[in-house]
Amino acid sequence: MTTQSFRARRDNFPATVTRFIGRKRELSAVAAAIDAHRLVTLRGPGGVGKTRLALQVAAAARDAFGQGAWLVELSVIRCRDLLAPEVAKALGLPDVAPGDPDGDLARHLAESDLLLVLDTCEHLVTACADLASTLLAACPGLRILATSRERLGVPGEQVMLISPLEVFTGRGTTGHGPASVSASDLDAMGRSEAVELFLDRARATVPGYALTAANASAVARLCRRLDGIPLAIELAAVRLRSMSAEEIAGRLDDRFRVLGTARTLTDRHRTLRAAVRWSHELCTPAEQRLWTRLSVFPGGFTSEAAEAVGGPGTSEVLARLTDKSVVARDQDTAPGDAAPDGSPRYRLLDTMREFGGELLPPGDRDDARRRHRDHFQALVARAATQSAGPEQVRWMTWVRREAGNLRAALDYSFATPGQEAAGLAMTVGLRCYWLMLGAYGEGTRWHQLAVATCPGSPDNAWAIFGAGLQAVLQGDLVTAGPLLARAASLAAALPDPRLAASVTDAEGMAAFHAEDAHTATGRHAAALAYFKEHGFTDALSLACYSNLASARLLAHQLDDAIELCEEGARQCEALGDQWALGTVMRVRGGVRWMSGDNEGAVADTLESLRIEEALGDQRTMTMCLDVIAVVLATRGDAGRGDYVRAAELCGAGDTMWETLRAPSRRGPAYAKVRQDAAAKCQAALGEARFEAALGRGAAMSLAEAVALARGQVRGPVSARPRPLTRREREIATLVAQGLGNRDIAERLYLSKRTVDSHLEHIFSKLGFTSRTQLTNWVLSQ
């Protein structure tokens, strides 16, 4: 289990609201290319439909991959350092390490079996090529489908040129004005891919619109003038609200006469730009101004954010741009993914964003980017006051959703002379959220810039503390020590007693990692005393309860630890905090286990799991899996399947910790408790049964592991036969060749446990019980 097995979903594709038209030959050819090559790049001009084709192919190929197919939209990033983190985010992985993000991602995906769709690579070609090379070399089960205006240039890359849709060039399509169209020509026109697309989009604008003898010549000529480019055709179809097809075709004839007939990629790019420019010229001055200013958004945005950049009256103009298909309204905005006020999200199509950005004068660009930054800085300031309150969950979702805009605002601030203080303030305000969401790499990157900004200021002192805390939670105590010492010195000099207490708490965490229970207890106790007297202003100050309880647990002061957890739970409930409450409940579960109360330990840990699952806190969820495994191994009721279930949870936990990076296991004492539980299971089950159970757990999705921890029986396999994945077919073939599991693991560079798990899935899917049955089946195929 790596990467996508953490999710119950098999893809992350956006909802589609329009039909996919044509491309039968391309669908077949691209699918065959993916089957034969590990890197396939769809190359073509903007607006030709590369992304839609890639998603259509990937959706069809999804079930051939054990962990599905996943889209990474690269248009939202501009910096190569953010490429691997963006891929990790799309896959639902924790943030990758900032030092070697490509290598870290490759380690996460080493045994993955999935199709990765890298969309819009042209502005990061070199970075995409480097990442693809790294991933393909380290991940034998990975395939990549890329879209780009140019090839990536990676050895083994299969480049496929995507042409526009076929256009009808028969009689009656080249002249001006109505032409006599025969019934056979009318039928042939309707089957033309370009005409079919125009008609489909036209019906969304003018219900019931149809191809007739009266409009057929104009429609066919229009599609030909636009050279079959899907985006250009869709933009033209929108004009049917105010023009006839003949009028639209006439306008296009005048506009494109100087271009001649487009044949090369450059010509087609000029055709699309001319169509986009025409759409721009048909907009009112207010619409044109907003179009250009919206180009500063790297991805989605709310109407509130648009108004902050565009000024008063933007909402009405935004609605008109949406009607004209310049701006798209996201159809898959879930309630939890909307803005804190529940408003929907919008986005500019990539081509429209590129065009708008080119028309935005430098002075207006700086003004728009500053307004964009000011808007998100104000929201971050609001979020910072809610990290421990009843709005905590919504703001956590907002920070995750607005990652692209927050990066753009931070980048503008740190890269623009005179604006660095704003970036520093945003970094300080986002500290809690990055830590709660496990975005350690993201937090570390911006803290590295913040620690050098406005030296000696209060925000700078907090940034230095934040950098030190990030290092502690990633197990990097060598880096953390000097940073926390600097923060402590600044806290004393300012003075800032709350910062001093926060540094003291972080020093306690470092001591806990080093198994110094005495120092950890003293530091956490001092910090908690301050917070209790002066107030809990953020989630991290509330987490001081669980930090001190953990230190008491390490020192075997169990009664004190229970009392702290109960007091912390009451405080969290009073404030409406969920994240720190989940952490406290998980620690109390551990304390109850050490006290011999196995049932109470399970109840507390499952409550923590329920809370943290809703928040998406994979680190705490993994700790919960560990606690349940330890409790089951301790209880050891073979009749209830405790040892098997515990071993499976150990396997799930092993892979999760590999993904989260091992230092987060909170020191050697924690690791030893896990090891002892696994050893008990191995002794009770025997090596073969233990390894098989461990392998099953390692192959589980996080959702499946959580269900197992809850004791929920996994549902029966569907009666409909499930196809073998590409990896499973490969393993089945090697079994038929007489190779044992260890030999197969060596051949495919996998662990034996992974091969064991794949083979079990193969037997389950095919209903077989022996290798002989599988061999006969392979030979029959």
Side-chain angles (χ1 to χ4, degrees):
M1 178 188 74
T2 51
T3 182
Q4 281 337 301
S5 53
F6 296 147
R7 295 178 180 227
R9 294 173 60 190
R10 303 267 302 152
D11 66 56
N12 64 336
F13 300 158
T16 58
V17 294
T18 56
R19 280 200 313 128
F20 182 81
I21 304 293
R23 302 285 195 192
K24 291 182 180 179
R25 289 189 300 275
E26 290 94 332
L27 287 170
S28 177
V30 176
I34 292 173
D35 197 53
H37 304 276
R38 296 188 59 210
L39 171 60
V40 177
T41 299
L42 306 186
R43 185 171 72 91
V48 80
K50 301 184 297 294
T51 298
R52 189 67 187 271
L53 176 61
L55 291 179
Q56 196 75 11
V57 172
R62 180 188 63 184
D63 290 342
F65 294 87
Q67 292 155 321
W70 298 84
L71 169 68
V72 186
E73 296 179 295
L74 301 182
S75 59
V76 300
I77 62 173
R78 289 291 180 268
C79 174
R80 70 159 295 142
D81 292 342
L82 297 176
L83 177 58
E86 190 67 23
V87 175
K89 175 187 171 186
L91 294 174
L93 289 167
D95 204 2
V96 292
D100 180 20
D102 289 8
D104 197 31
L105 182 62
R107 286 186 287 276
H108 290 330
L109 302 179
E111 296 185 3
S112 62
D113 178 24
L114 62 88
L115 176 62
L116 189 64
V117 182
L118 298 180
D119 184 41
T120 315
C121 298
E122 55 266 12
H123 62 300
L124 294 168
V125 168
T126 301
C128 288
D130 291 343
L131 179 62
S133 297
T134 299
L135 294 182
L136 292 173
C139 317
L142 176 70
R143 305 251 165 167
I144 297 176
L145 177 60
T147 72
S148 178
R149 295 181 190 177
E150 57 182 291
R151 65 178 65 238
L152 300 189
V154 175
E157 176 185 21
Q158 176 73 7
V159 180
M160 305 188 72
L161 180 62
I162 304 304
S163 300
L165 298 175
E166 63 178 9
V167 297
F168 181 78
T169 57
R171 294 171 297 172
T173 66
T174 57
H176 297 270
S180 176
V181 179
S182 68
S184 60
D185 277 349
L186 192 64
D187 182 63
M189 284 182 194
R191 292 196 304 272
S192 159
E193 292 182 342
V195 171
E196 186 181 358
L197 176 66
F198 179 83
L199 294 175
D200 183 81
R201 303 309 189 251
R203 293 184 189 109
T205 301
V206 181
Y209 190 88
L211 190 68
T212 66
N215 66 21
S217 177
V219 169
R221 192 170 80 250
L222 181 156
C223 292
R224 183 178 59 80
R225 274 299 191 190
L226 295 175
D227 201 37
I229 297 174
L231 178 57
I233 291 171
E234 291 181 346
L235 290 174
V238 172
R239 295 298 163 195
L240 288 172
R241 286 195 180 96
S242 56
M243 303 181 196
S244 68
E246 184 66 39
E247 289 173 316
I248 296 172
R251 296 280 189 96
L252 290 173
D253 282 340
D254 294 338
R255 178 161 297 277
F256 292 133
R257 187 171 292 114
V258 296
L259 295 178
T261 301
R263 285 292 178 264
T264 68
L265 289 179
T266 301
D267 290 334
R268 286 165 180 159
H269 181 64
R270 290 165 61 200
T271 299
L272 175 63
R273 287 185 60 81
V276 173
R277 182 175 291 279
W278 182 49
S279 291
H280 182 263
E281 291 172 358
L282 289 175
C283 290
T284 67
E287 292 165 356
Q288 292 175 348
R289 177 180 179 276
L290 182 59
W291 181 343
T292 60
R293 295 180 77 84
L294 291 179
S295 67
V296 302
F297 289 98
F301 53 87
T302 63
S303 58
E304 179 189 18
E307 185 147 349
V309 170
T314 290
S315 295
E316 181 182 341
V317 181
L318 180 64
R320 295 203 301 267
L321 287 177
T322 303
D323 287 341
K324 294 178 178 179
S325 295
V326 173
V327 173
R329 176 170 172 163
D330 282 356
Q331 300 296 320
D332 58 342
T333 302
D337 285 343
D341 63 359
S343 57
R345 295 180 68 78
Y346 301 84
R347 61 183 174 84
L348 271 178
L349 297 174
D350 290 344
T351 303
M352 303 303 194
R353 183 188 303 113
E354 181 181 305
F355 182 83
E358 291 174 359
L359 295 183
L360 191 60
D364 286 354
R365 180 187 305 279
D366 185 74
D367 179 69
R369 292 197 70 186
R370 180 179 51 77
R371 286 171 172 267
H372 173 277
R373 192 277 317 280
D374 290 348
H375 172 72
F376 284 98
Q377 182 183 1
L379 287 173
V380 166
R382 282 175 55 193
T385 66
Q386 298 294 322
S387 74
E391 293 296 309
Q392 177 193 69
V393 176
R394 179 170 287 279
W395 282 105
M396 286 177 71
T397 302
W398 178 82
V399 169
R400 185 187 293 114
R401 181 77 173 188
E402 296 289 4
N405 282 312
L406 294 172
R407 287 170 182 163
L410 285 162
D411 183 64
Y412 169 78
S413 299
F414 284 119
T416 306
Q419 301 296 325
E420 299 90 345
L424 173 61
M426 289 184 69
T427 300
V428 172
L430 288 166
R431 179 188 65 251
C432 273
Y433 289 97
W434 284 328
L435 293 174
M436 287 190 293
L437 293 170
Y440 300 125
E442 184 88 6
T444 298
R445 278 188 291 275
W446 297 113
H447 274 91
Q448 286 173 345
L449 294 173
V451 296
T453 302
C454 304
S457 68
D459 275 349
N460 175 257
W462 277 99
I464 292 170
F465 156 71
L469 181 58
Q470 293 271 357
V472 169
L473 292 176
Q474 293 177 82
D476 185 1
L477 303 186
V478 174
T479 299
L483 287 168
L484 293 178
R486 283 175 61 193
S489 176
L490 288 168
L494 284 171
D496 187 337
R498 181 167 292 279
L499 174 59
S502 298
V503 172
T504 299
D505 190 36
E507 291 171 339
M509 295 182 204
F512 184 92
H513 274 272
E515 291 194 41
D516 183 351
H518 177 74
T519 300
T521 298
R523 295 286 195 277
H524 290 316
L528 183 59
Y530 176 86
F531 295 138
K532 288 171 68 174
E533 181 178 355
H534 298 281
F536 298 91
T537 56
D538 59 36
L540 297 181
S541 60
L542 273 175
C544 194
Y545 275 109
S546 56
N547 292 337
L548 180 54
S550 295
R552 298 285 192 195
L553 176 60
L554 186 63
H556 296 280
Q557 299 169 355
L558 304 184
D559 290 342
D560 289 345
I562 284 286
E563 184 177 335
L564 280 164
C565 288
E566 292 176 349
E567 182 182 333
R570 289 193 296 271
Q571 187 67 252
C572 290
E573 290 168 351
L575 292 174
D577 175 277
Q578 289 292 298
W579 179 78
L581 175 62
T583 302
V584 164
M585 297 302 291
R586 190 260 309 160
V587 173
R588 192 170 77 174
V591 177
R592 287 187 166 173
W593 164 71
M594 284 200 70
S595 302
D597 180 6
N598 290 327
E599 302 309 316
V602 169
D604 279 350
T605 307
L606 291 181
E607 176 60 14
S608 173
L609 198 54
R610 181 191 67 79
I611 294 170
E612 302 299 345
E613 185 179 24
L615 300 179
D617 181 357
Q618 295 184 356
R619 182 173 178 269
T620 302
M621 291 172 70
T622 303
M623 289 183 170
C624 289
L625 298 182
D626 287 345
V627 174
I628 297 294
V630 169
V631 172
L632 293 175
T634 301
R635 190 173 68 183
D637 187 341
R640 297 166 68 178
D642 283 353
Y643 290 120
V644 172
R645 198 166 137 217
E648 291 176 336
L649 288 172
C650 285
D654 283 346
T655 308
M656 282 298 297
W657 282 121
E658 289 171 10
T659 302
L660 292 164
R661 292 185 295 278
S664 294
R665 294 189 192 190
R666 305 208 67 189
Y670 185 94
K672 187 176 186 305
V673 171
R674 295 183 78 253
Q675 292 165 2
D676 290 346
K680 287 179 183 177
C681 294
Q682 186 173 15
L685 298 174
E687 184 174 357
R689 290 182 65 202
F690 171 73
E691 288 292 335
L694 209 62
R696 288 194 298 273
M700 287 181 183
S701 68
L702 182 54
E704 289 170 335
V706 167
L708 179 65
R710 290 173 174 151
Q712 297 170 347
V713 179
R714 279 168 282 177
V717 177
S718 170
R720 181 174 60 85
R722 291 178 293 162
L724 299 186
T725 66
R726 189 184 312 272
R727 176 67 81 192
E728 288 166 351
R729 294 198 303 270
E730 192 173 18
I731 289 174
T733 300
L734 294 175
V735 168
Q737 293 175 8
L739 274 66
N741 288 13
R742 196 171 300 281
D743 295 327
I744 295 172
E746 292 175 359
R747 175 79 65 89
L748 300 179
Y749 301 100
L750 302 174
S751 68
K752 178 179 176 297
R753 184 192 307 166
T754 299
V755 174
D756 294 340
S757 175
H758 277 306
L759 197 56
E760 184 170 321
H761 290 167
I762 292 169
F763 284 161
S764 174
K765 286 182 177 181
L766 300 178
F768 296 159
T769 58
S770 72
R771 299 172 85 89
T772 301
Q773 287 177 300
L774 179 58
T775 298
N776 291 335
W777 179 83
V778 170
L779 294 176
S780 73
Q781 300 300 303

